Amino acid sequence: MTTDTGTGTSGRRLPSGPLPRMILLLAGLAFGWIAVNGMKELSSIIGPIFLALNLIVVAYPIKTALVRRGMPQWVGALLATLAVFVALILFFWSIVWAVTSLVNELPHYGSKFDQLQRDGLKYLERFGVDQSTIDEQLRSIDSGKIMGWVTQAASVLSGVFSLLAVVVTMLFFLAMDSMGFSRRMEIAGKHHSGLVRAFNAFSHGVRKYWIVSTVFGLIVAVLDYGVLLALGVPLALVWGVLAFVTNYIPNIGFVFGLIPPALMALLDKGVAQALIVVVAYCVLNFVVQSIIQPKVAGDAVGVTASLSFFSLLFWSWALGPLGSILALPATLLVKSLLVDGDPESRWANAFIAADPTTAEAETVESAAGLEDEADDPATA
């Protein structure tokens, strides 16, 4: 006679010990899916906060440099935050300057616009479309749809201002907390030095990413300016500056940077020149920003080109429009938390890191060296 004390019906003892790897993998994927969907629901909060963290991390060396020169912590934090605000002000001022320049220039082309309208009507008449047909189509436009479009545009604009308000508010709190970053990182390093090193690697990678993005934005702006200058498009410098600042705007930034110079080329030079501007902008932006920049940015932050491209798609889906500009920093943060900070998971670097030999390293070392590990904010 046998008793059933953890054995099967046949008297054999059931296996004990760790759960099977497949069960752990499925459980991890399930928890990850829940976390990602939760993040997607809170994207309007997480995105702006993470953007503010990026800006503070980028500006933090200003604070450390000032403190090393004898300035109080609060003065260094204040000046670093002011540098971020100045950058944001210049960003939005450049957009307003470009729009104002376009509005002031358009009245000089009133007669040209009328001529283009007449030429357009003559062209449409070849296909049986005359002025009466156009007027009839205009009268049939549903005013409700127009109001719907206006409402959507107002909603987008409201969302931009809300995002900006969250970013600015979060910058103030992060600036105040940055005065104690060094001490906090020092204490954390005594308990988990590997994780602190991983966070430092994250902060250095974020700075490299924004530097690379800025450099490539300048490259695209210079190339666009050269094309416009060669074609004789009015206000070429204004549109070059606009191309640079809109490089930071995900998805729709390229369109904002293209419409004004294309419109000016149309009014000043004609349809052919406008098409040349559109084609040149598309080719330059596609080659530089869609092919070259992801590869260089991925190498700079330490991930493969394929992971860089995948992160762009994933974070755009998870965090919305901001996700496309924060894709690599977000991927770098996840990599620092789950891979670089855990010696048992560092093998994954063999597949996702730009330098696969980091999978063999016993510790993760930041670009600044171990001596600076307690003096850099990786978290808020």
Side-chain angles (χ1 to χ4, degrees), residues 183-347:
R183 181 58 179 163
R184 294 176 186 275
M185 296 294 284
E186 181 182 355
I187 294 174
K190 295 177 181 178
H191 299 279
H192 207 312
S193 59
L195 189 60
V196 170
R197 291 190 183 98
F199 278 136
N200 282 323
F202 160 73
S203 60
H204 287 289
V206 164
R207 293 189 193 110
K208 289 180 181 178
Y209 165 76
W210 286 102
I211 291 173
V212 168
S213 297
T214 301
V215 170
F216 274 92
L218 284 172
I219 292 173
V220 171
V222 170
L223 293 175
D224 290 342
Y225 170 69
V227 170
L228 298 176
L229 198 62
L231 295 175
V233 177
L235 305 176
L237 180 61
V238 176
W239 313 135
V241 174
L242 182 65
F244 170 69
V245 298
T246 54
N247 175 66
Y248 292 106
I249 303 176
N251 301 327
I252 60 174
F254 168 71
V255 178
F256 287 157
L258 170 61
I259 290 177
L263 179 60
M264 292 305 304
L266 176 65
L267 294 175
D268 191 72
K269 303 294 182 180
V271 177
Q273 295 289 70
L275 290 176
I276 293 175
V277 170
V278 172
V279 172
Y281 263 64
C282 291
V283 170
L284 290 174
N285 281 268
F286 176 76
V287 172
V288 176
Q289 294 179 311
S290 299
I291 298 178
I292 302 176
Q293 183 175 340
K295 174 65 169 65
V296 177
D299 290 341
V301 302
V303 297
T304 62
S306 56
L307 181 61
S308 174
F309 179 73
F310 172 76
S311 66
L312 177 65
L313 300 178
F314 176 80
W315 291 110
S316 297
W317 169 78
L319 295 179
L322 265 183
S324 58
I325 194 173
L326 297 174
L328 278 178
T331 298
L332 189 59
L333 178 60
V334 173
K335 179 176 177 289
S336 299
L337 288 173
L338 302 182
V339 178
D340 295 339
D342 185 1
E344 295 183 358
S345 302
R346 201 164 298 133
W347 59 268

Side-chain angles (χ1 to χ4, degrees), residues 12-287:
R12 291 178 297 175
R13 183 174 297 278
L14 294 175
S16 60
L19 291 174
R21 182 171 298 177
M22 180 59 69
I23 299 298
L24 294 176
L25 177 61
L26 292 176
L29 290 175
F31 283 120
W33 179 253
I34 294 173
V36 168
N37 278 275
M39 182 171 54
K40 184 175 173 62
E41 291 293 325
L42 298 174
S43 59
S44 60
I45 299 175
I46 295 176
I49 291 176
F50 191 58
L51 175 60
L53 175 62
N54 274 255
L55 296 176
I56 285 293
V57 168
V58 171
Y60 191 77
I62 299 175
K63 182 252 184 186
T64 56
L66 294 175
V67 171
R68 286 172 181 170
R69 284 168 174 76
M71 283 193 178
Q73 290 272 355
W74 68 270
V75 175
L78 177 62
L79 292 179
T81 307
L82 286 177
V84 174
F85 284 132
V86 169
L88 290 175
I89 291 172
L90 288 176
F91 175 84
F92 287 102
W93 176 83
S94 299
I95 296 178
V96 172
W97 175 53
V99 173
T100 303
S101 300
L102 178 64
V103 171
N104 292 334
E105 191 70 14
L106 285 179
H108 301 154
Y109 295 91
S111 60
K112 185 68 175 180
F113 183 82
D114 293 337
Q115 182 62 42
L116 286 172
Q117 185 180 18
R118 290 192 294 269
D119 293 342
L121 288 174
K122 291 180 180 178
Y123 180 77
L124 291 175
E125 287 176 356
R126 299 178 184 177
F127 300 93
V129 180
D130 54 13
Q131 182 66 50
S132 60
T133 304
I134 297 175
D135 293 339
E136 183 178 350
Q137 291 296 324
L138 290 176
R139 286 193 296 268
S140 65
I141 294 177
D142 187 1
S143 59
K145 292 183 179 180
I146 297 178
M147 289 304 299
W149 296 337
V150 172
T151 302
Q152 290 179 0
S155 177
V156 171
L157 187 62
S158 175
V160 171
F161 282 112
S162 299
L163 183 149
L164 185 61
V166 174
V167 170
V168 170
T169 304
M170 197 64 197
L171 282 173
F172 276 112
F173 288 110
L174 289 174
M176 290 187 292
D177 289 340
S178 68
M179 291 184 289
F181 274 149
S182 300
R183 181 58 179 163
R184 294 176 186 275
M185 296 294 284
E186 181 182 355
I187 294 174
K190 295 177 181 178
H191 299 279
H192 207 312
S193 59
L195 189 60
V196 170
R197 291 190 183 98
F199 278 136
N200 282 323
F202 160 73
S203 60
H204 287 289
V206 164
R207 293 189 193 110
K208 289 180 181 178
Y209 165 76
W210 286 102
I211 291 173
V212 168
S213 297
T214 301
V215 170
F216 274 92
L218 284 172
I219 292 173
V220 171
V222 170
L223 293 175
D224 290 342
Y225 170 69
V227 170
L228 298 176
L229 198 62
L231 295 175
V233 177
L235 305 176
L237 180 61
V238 176
W239 313 135
V241 174
L242 182 65
F244 170 69
V245 298
T246 54
N247 175 66
Y248 292 106
I249 303 176
N251 301 327
I252 60 174
F254 168 71
V255 178
F256 287 157
L258 170 61
I259 290 177
L263 179 60
M264 292 305 304
L266 176 65
L267 294 175
D268 191 72
K269 303 294 182 180
V271 177
Q273 295 289 70
L275 290 176
I276 293 175
V277 170
V278 172
V279 172
Y281 263 64
C282 291
V283 170
L284 290 174
N285 281 268
F286 176 76
V287 172

